[in-house]
Amino acid sequence: MLQFEGRRYERAADETVLECLLRHGVAVASFCRSGACQTCVLKATAGTVPKSAQLGLKPSQQQQGYFLSCVCRPEAALSVERCDAAATYEARVLRVESLSAEVLRVWLSRPAGLEFRAGQFVQLERPGDGLMRPYSLASLPSEDELELHVARLPNGRMSGWLANAVGQPLLARGPFGECSYTMGEPDRPLILAGTGTGLSPLLGVLREAAENEHLGPISLFHGSRQLTGLYLRAELATLAARLPTLSLIGSVLSLTAEEQQQPGPWQLETGELDQLVISRYPKPVEHRLFLCGNPALVQRLRKRAYLAGASLSRIHCDAFAAPHAS
Amino acid sequence: MSSIYDRIGGEPAVDAAVDVFYRKVLSDDRISQFFDAVDMDRQRAKQKAFLTFAFGGPNQYTGQDLRVAHAKMKLTDAHFDAVMENLGATLTELGVPAALIAEAAAVAESVRPAVLNR
């Protein structure tokens, strides 16, 4: 028996999940049909997927139940859905804090039933007009509240509304994305690099690494045009004191003489973030990388890290542009 | 006779080969621009499917899929030649004997009309 998005289908002996769904007229995109190209990936929500149907997927995807439907012959009943399927939850804005001139920290009530990994993102929907924006989660699944960092732009519709929305209800759809800490490899060196509110998912990954007593060295690179864009100083200093393996590197385009004298927590560098990361880690062969924020930067850094020897299965990206003022 | 796929060591060998191949393709100025805007994870998986096909491994590659996937890219023989060159260089680097490389090249060559939409 196969359940797909709430409907049940009889699966013939030896039929793959993909074959079964196609035979019943359910449209699922596929290409190589041999477990290589990952076009037909689906997500299992109940039941057991054979390990052989998860070969080649990232650990973060495997943990979420992702599998290759074209080579999956489950031994018992299985419930599956599309990977972009997600539930919608009701939440409420609890508190709002200004982290810098450009960034708000927003806490939401944690909706019952919302399971996620730190670093994943949710789509927030404003009630009334349905305006939607994606935001990455900085808080841990073990916490009672959701924390997210919101880039505030002049005339930003969602950020402008959120700034004064304490007590307001909203909808959260998700979770999405695979930019989350990988369990079971406590010694692996981690590189976390992001610009602007890309710090939000990176903070989620970092907190989860700390909670799991990660032993390997962790380098957190945060990039901004100016020093004033590097936010959350006090909390990062506290985290660094608790985690001796953590290095904090701040990357800005230029620094005044006065700024250079400012005490930590960042080791400050000037220049482009991707250049800085690669010059510090010219051969990131064993590292796991988390790259978040500006899409052009994320794409550039992913490519450079891969060409420098990093494995794509260990590069996790969460690329997002600042919301367009409209 | 068994396929190149089996002779070079099946899925794990192809998985290693795909990184050598994809890094060459991304570094090749003649064709790297086609890969700038695509998702690298998906692209790597597609490259793996292509190599599996070229090596005679388990696959369902059809000309129609390739035709549709490449239809709007305005590719020329020079682009296809560059990919073939990178394929050959990859296999040479991995120590695959020349006779087997020629065999894989012949399979890959067979999809030229589909990729170039002829």
Side-chain angles (χ1 to χ4, degrees):
Chain A
M1 183 66 68
L2 179 68
Q3 186 156 326
F4 179 78
E5 295 179 346
R7 301 183 73 153
R8 303 175 126 225
Y9 301 97
E10 250 349 292
R11 195 174 64 86
D14 212 39
E15 208 174 28
T16 66
V17 169
L18 178 67
E19 286 164 347
C20 172
L21 291 173
L22 293 177
R23 183 167 59 82
H24 286 97
V26 179
V28 177
S30 66
F31 191 63
C32 77
R33 300 202 184 172
S34 53
C37 79
Q38 302 184 5
T39 305
C40 67
V41 169
L42 295 175
K43 185 162 83 175
T45 52
T48 306
V49 169
K51 283 263 174 280
S52 59
Q54 294 188 307
L55 280 178
L57 295 171
K58 295 183 185 185
S60 49
Q61 294 173 318
Q62 294 173 348
Q63 285 165 5
Q64 287 184 60
Y66 284 37
F67 68 97
L68 304 163
S69 64
C70 71
V71 291
C72 180
R73 294 180 175 85
E75 289 175 3
L78 190 68
S79 297
V80 307
E81 60 183 24
R82 293 182 203 278
C83 295
D84 58 1
T88 300
Y89 302 90
E90 291 178 8
R92 186 171 292 276
V93 181
L94 299 176
R95 295 186 305 286
V96 177
E97 177 193 352
S98 174
L99 290 175
S100 76
E102 293 155 348
V103 180
L104 293 173
R105 167 147 62 174
V106 176
W107 281 276
L108 306 178
S109 59
R110 168 93 181 264
L114 171 59
E115 299 294 329
F116 67 96
R117 304 283 314 279
Q120 287 193 286
F121 68 92
V122 290
Q123 288 278 358
L124 294 190
E125 180 181 334
R126 182 164 72 178
D129 65 358
L131 178 72
M132 288 178 79
R133 292 280 185 272
Y135 294 105
S136 297
L137 296 162
S139 47
L140 292 172
S142 57
E143 294 174 313
D144 294 334
E145 299 174 351
L146 303 179
E147 173 187 338
L148 31 93
H149 301 175
V150 175
R152 58 210 297 201
L153 281 188
N155 307 319
R157 285 196 290 162
M158 184 64 100
S159 61
W161 178 76
L162 279 170
N164 300 296
V166 172
Q168 298 282 330
L170 45 66
L171 297 175
R173 202 174 118 77
F176 304 102
E178 56 90 32
C179 197
S180 49
Y181 178 72
T182 300
M183 306 291 180
E185 44 175 47
D187 297 317
R188 189 175 295 287
L190 307 181
I191 297 172
L192 284 52
T195 57
T197 50
L199 185 60
S200 188
L202 295 180
L203 191 62
V205 172
L206 182 58
R207 285 174 172 162
E208 201 147 51
E211 190 179 65
N212 286 281
E213 297 176 346
H214 192 82
L215 299 171
I218 306 175
S219 296
L220 171 62
F221 295 81
H222 190 201
S224 180
R225 277 183 294 276
Q226 295 163 355
L227 187 59
T228 51
L230 301 184
Y231 61 88
L232 225 57
R233 301 177 144 265
E235 274 185 59
L236 287 170
T238 307
L239 260 175
R242 190 175 131 204
L243 263 181
T245 52
L246 175 63
S247 310
L248 298 171
I249 302 102
S251 161
V252 294
L253 293 185
S254 63
L255 277 176
T256 63
E258 190 186 334
E259 285 174 339
Q260 278 169 357
Q261 303 304 317
Q262 282 195 18
W266 308 99
Q267 307 163 34
L268 291 177
E269 302 271 0
T270 53
E272 293 287 346
L273 185 61
D274 58 324
Q275 185 57 40
L276 177 59
V277 172
I278 294 297
S279 66
R280 288 220 180 188
Y281 296 97
K283 289 264 168 229
V285 177
E286 295 301 323
H287 296 70
R288 193 173 285 283
L289 295 94
F290 298 88
L291 313 177
C292 304
N294 180 291
L297 179 276
V298 167
Q299 177 76 355
R300 213 161 59 227
L301 189 46
R302 169 153 64 170
K303 183 170 166 180
R304 291 186 73 168
Y306 178 58
L307 291 179
S311 164
L312 279 185
S313 67
R314 288 196 290 270
I315 304 180
H316 306 266
C317 295
D318 184 5
F320 47 88
H324 295 288
S326 55
Chain B
M1 193 168 66
S2 64
S3 64
I4 306 174
Y5 181 86
D6 293 327
R7 277 176 286 170
I8 65 170
E11 193 273 339
V14 176
D15 204 58
V18 69
D19 280 324
V20 178
F21 176 65
Y22 188 23
R23 285 189 179 109
K24 285 188 192 302
V25 167
L26 281 176
S27 307
D28 187 333
D29 290 340
R30 294 172 295 177
I31 47 177
S32 62
Q33 74 270 20
F34 295 112
F35 298 94
D36 276 346
V38 300
D39 181 290
M40 290 179 64
D41 289 323
R42 281 190 213 160
Q43 192 56 41
R44 183 190 182 279
K46 293 236 162 73
Q47 307 277 5
K48 187 171 168 185
F50 169 66
L51 290 189
T52 302
F53 160 76
F55 299 163
N59 75 90
Q60 308 272 338
Y61 242 61
T62 69
Q64 202 49 40
D65 292 332
L66 287 173
R67 195 173 286 280
V68 172
H70 296 88
K72 290 181 180 157
M73 296 171 68
K74 297 187 174 133
L75 298 172
T76 67
D77 280 308
H79 297 129
F80 195 89
D81 291 343
V83 171
M84 292 295 292
E85 226 176 85
N86 287 308
L87 176 64
T90 298
L91 296 176
T92 304
E93 192 175 316
L94 294 172
V96 176
L100 290 188
I101 296 179
E103 216 176 291
V107 178
E109 185 63 48
S110 71
V111 301
R112 184 187 291 259
V115 169
L116 299 183
N117 204 18
R118 285 175 185 154

